[in-house]
């Protein structure tokens, strides 16, 4: 059954990304990496559900979603970014196939970082993040979601890749076959991929051709 929850706080993360902390219904639980469908509790919008990943920890007394705004769509994300604390959201059952299976490589594109935020925060809190590496692709430096947080957890094991901007602080280019062969030391470790469909499919193919085992490549199907 859907739950109606109030927004507790809203924080600006980048120029087009905000995090929303909302009430957590009694007994509501999730595994880091999972998501739910969210709708805005306003007339005409209650059935306009969109999937968003939890970026909080299951043990937190609130739920958090980190959401990118797509202004040109004039849809749910655009409306969400116009809301204020006290406004209501409708959340549904938990779902999702991205689950941590062991140390490996996290590969994210843009808002695809969101399922990994909860996973990495949980691992960091449990002192179990060692042995993991992040490759995070964005158009520009201004688009990087939670860069400070990720660097604080991973240090040099977080590699930020920019596709539309040259900046000496970051790697330029794409996460393609050449990049992966240069930066991946062991193709037998776990791989976690989340990003645009075309990127996810292309990287999964490269990994399998490079010797990664199919059941070690984790992505939302």
């Amino acid at each position: 059954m859907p739950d109606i929850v109030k927004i507790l706080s809203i924080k600006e993360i980048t120029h087009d990304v905000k995090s929303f902390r909302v009430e957590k219904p009694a007994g509501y639980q999730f595994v880091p990496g999972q998501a739910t469908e969210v709708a805005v509790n306003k007339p005409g919008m209650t059935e306009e559900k969109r999937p968003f990943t939890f970026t909080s920890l299951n043990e937190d007394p609130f739920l958090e979603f980190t959401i990118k705004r797509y202004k040109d769509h004039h849809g749910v994300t655009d409306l969400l970014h116009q809301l204020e604390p006290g406004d209501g959201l409708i959340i549904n059952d938990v779902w999702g196939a991205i689950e941590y299976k062991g140390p490996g490589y996290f590969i994210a594109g843009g808002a695809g970082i969101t399922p990994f935020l909860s996973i990495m925060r949980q691992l960091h809190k449990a002192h179990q993040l060692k042995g993991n590496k992040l490759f995070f692709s964005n158009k520009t430096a201004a688009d990087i979601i939670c860069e400070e947080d990720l660097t604080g957890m991973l240090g040099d094991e977080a590699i930020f890749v920019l596709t539309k901007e040259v900046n000496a602080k970051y790697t330029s280019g794409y996460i393609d076959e050449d990049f992966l062969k240069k930066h991946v030391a062991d193709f037998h470790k776990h791989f976690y991929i989340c990003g645009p469909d075309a990127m996810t499919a292309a990287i999964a193919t490269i990994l399998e051709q490079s010797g990664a085992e199919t059941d070690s490549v984790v992505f939302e199907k």
Side-chain angles (χ1 to χ4, degrees):
M1 286 288 293
D3 288 286
I4 298 174
V5 295
K6 283 185 180 179
I7 297 173
L8 302 172
S9 65
I10 300 173
K11 180 181 178 182
E12 189 169 303
I13 304 298
T14 72
H15 63 99
D16 62 357
V17 175
K18 290 181 179 179
S19 71
F20 299 79
R21 289 188 175 181
V22 308
E23 294 172 323
K24 185 177 185 178
Y28 197 90
Q29 296 190 14
F30 64 91
V31 174
Q34 289 190 311
T36 187
E37 288 191 320
V38 177
V40 177
N41 191 31
K42 288 186 179 291
M45 295 301 295
T46 58
E47 294 303 316
E48 292 293 321
K49 296 180 281 189
R50 299 292 184 275
F52 296 111
T53 311
F54 304 104
T55 51
S56 50
L57 302 183
N58 183 55
E59 62 210 56
D60 289 333
F62 53 82
L63 298 175
E64 181 187 85
F65 303 97
T66 301
I67 298 173
K68 182 175 180 177
R69 182 182 197 174
Y70 297 93
K71 281 174 115 174
D72 55 334
H73 294 181
H74 300 294
V76 174
T77 65
D78 190 37
L79 178 57
L80 280 165
H81 275 243
Q82 298 174 51
L83 299 180
E84 298 178 353
D87 285 334
L89 300 180
I90 302 169
I91 61 170
N92 291 270
D93 293 337
V94 171
W95 58 273
I98 296 180
E99 185 176 349
Y100 185 69
K101 295 184 176 183
Y105 299 90
F106 289 84
I107 304 172
I113 192 67
T114 54
F116 301 156
L117 286 172
S118 183
I119 291 171
M120 289 179 178
R121 286 168 175 166
Q122 185 70 59
L123 291 172
H124 182 65
K125 187 168 185 177
H127 305 288
Q128 295 176 349
L129 194 50
K130 187 176 180 181
N132 289 289
K133 194 161 193 165
L134 170 67
F135 306 134
F136 188 13
S137 177
N138 288 274
K139 291 179 181 177
T140 72
D143 297 315
I144 301 174
I145 298 170
C146 297
E147 178 182 0
E148 190 174 316
D149 194 8
L150 292 165
T151 302
M153 292 190 289
L154 288 158
D156 293 339
E157 298 303 305
I159 297 178
F160 301 98
V161 183
L162 305 183
T163 62
K164 303 293 184 184
E165 178 186 343
V166 176
N167 185 319
K169 185 182 172 185
Y170 307 97
T171 300
S172 297
Y174 292 85
I175 301 176
D176 54 16
E177 184 175 3
D178 290 340
F179 176 95
L180 291 170
K181 286 187 174 176
K182 179 180 178 182
H183 292 280
V184 173
D186 184 359
F187 280 94
H188 295 290
K189 293 182 79 170
H190 292 286
F191 289 88
Y192 307 91
I193 316 169
C194 192
D197 291 344
M199 171 189 172
T200 299
I203 290 174
T205 298
I206 293 167
L207 292 175
E208 288 174 20
Q209 290 174 347
S210 300
E213 296 175 13
T214 303
D215 59 358
S216 293
V217 180
V218 180
F219 55 93
E220 200 68 69
K221 298 178 176 65

